[in-house]
Amino acid sequence: MTSKRSLAAKLGVVTGFENPQAALEQYPTPPELAAHVVHLADLHDDVDGRTVLDLGTGTGMLALAAALRGPARVIGVELDRAALTTATENDRRVAASAPVHWIQADATRLPLAIPDPVTVVMNPPFGAQDGNRNADRGFLLTASRVADVSYSVHNAGSREFVEAFAADEGGEVTHAFAADFAIDAQFDHHTEASREIDAEVYRIEWR
């Protein structure tokens, strides 16, 4: 197993959104955060030999991190065709040995059945935009239906919601940890060149 630092370095070639959409909360997952999430998943034997599903993959950061850790296959699901085009280009840059499949679809209405066992990794919308409140709920619901285990990134202060949602859907939060999420200015409402927001990552086992 390569180190978390080495994994983050390999993900440095992954590019972000060319024309990010604020309504979709298209913020690229930092390579350090992606490496941290996937490294944790690997330590729990949730990657090697499994199908890894990245819901709302964007330009592929989490999917490609997983692809570098020996899964049977990786599937990245993304609604935005332009983002998927970039993800495909990033796939070539990373050159992971595991097969990666890119699917254009709504992650909250998954159009495929996936062989077990399935690990979901995702950085869903936080619901910070007007009219997008609780946007991460639909992603968690999809995970509850297809995954044995999921790893998801949420806004700080989400623990009560995530634990209650998981319990309602027959799941259990087994691990939770704080994480820094660096965001570069990319929308008109951004007033700083870059800032870090507090995020939280949850591992959920689904029954």
Side-chain angles (χ1 to χ4, degrees):
M1 181 191 302
T2 57
S3 69
K4 182 171 62 176
R5 180 178 297 178
S6 175
L7 181 58
K10 290 180 179 179
L11 295 172
V13 300
V14 175
T15 59
F17 301 93
E18 288 191 17
N19 296 293
Q21 299 181 50
L24 296 179
E25 297 190 36
Q26 290 182 324
Y27 300 100
T29 305
E32 295 79 12
L33 178 56
H36 193 28
V37 171
V38 170
H39 183 72
L40 178 65
D42 208 8
L43 289 175
H44 284 85
D45 296 322
D46 292 330
V47 177
D48 187 37
R50 299 170 67 100
T51 294
V52 178
L53 174 65
D54 182 4
L55 299 176
T57 190
T59 63
M61 182 67 81
L62 281 167
L64 294 171
L68 289 166
R69 284 296 180 90
R73 66 192 61 80
V74 176
I75 302 171
V77 179
E78 172 57 45
L79 186 63
D80 182 11
R81 180 180 294 275
L84 277 182
T85 298
T86 302
T88 302
E89 295 168 353
N90 285 331
D91 191 358
R92 288 194 290 268
R93 293 187 184 97
V94 170
S97 57
V100 183
H101 310 280
W102 306 105
I103 297 175
Q104 184 181 10
D106 184 343
T108 65
R109 296 177 175 85
L110 204 61
L112 72 162
I114 304 170
D116 289 329
V118 174
T119 295
V120 162
V121 294
M122 58 182 177
N123 175 20
F126 289 173
Q129 296 298 311
D130 291 340
N132 211 25
R133 185 175 174 81
N134 297 325
D136 50 359
R137 182 182 296 271
F139 286 75
L140 283 171
L141 185 59
T142 298
S144 74
R145 291 172 175 170
V146 302
D148 299 282
V149 62
S150 67
Y151 293 78
S152 52
V153 183
H154 300 268
N155 206 3
S158 296
R159 183 160 191 157
E160 183 177 354
F161 155 66
V162 173
E163 288 183 339
F165 184 92
D168 287 345
E169 299 298 327
E172 180 184 4
V173 174
T174 63
H175 296 77
F177 60 89
D180 293 328
F181 197 128
I183 295 179
D184 294 331
Q186 55 184 19
F187 299 121
D188 290 342
H189 63 270
H190 288 163
T191 58
E192 303 173 76
S194 179
R195 69 188 182 100
E196 285 194 352
I197 63 171
D198 295 328
E200 296 168 350
V201 179
Y202 294 91
R203 180 185 186 269
I204 305 173
E205 290 183 356
W206 303 100
R207 294 185 288 273

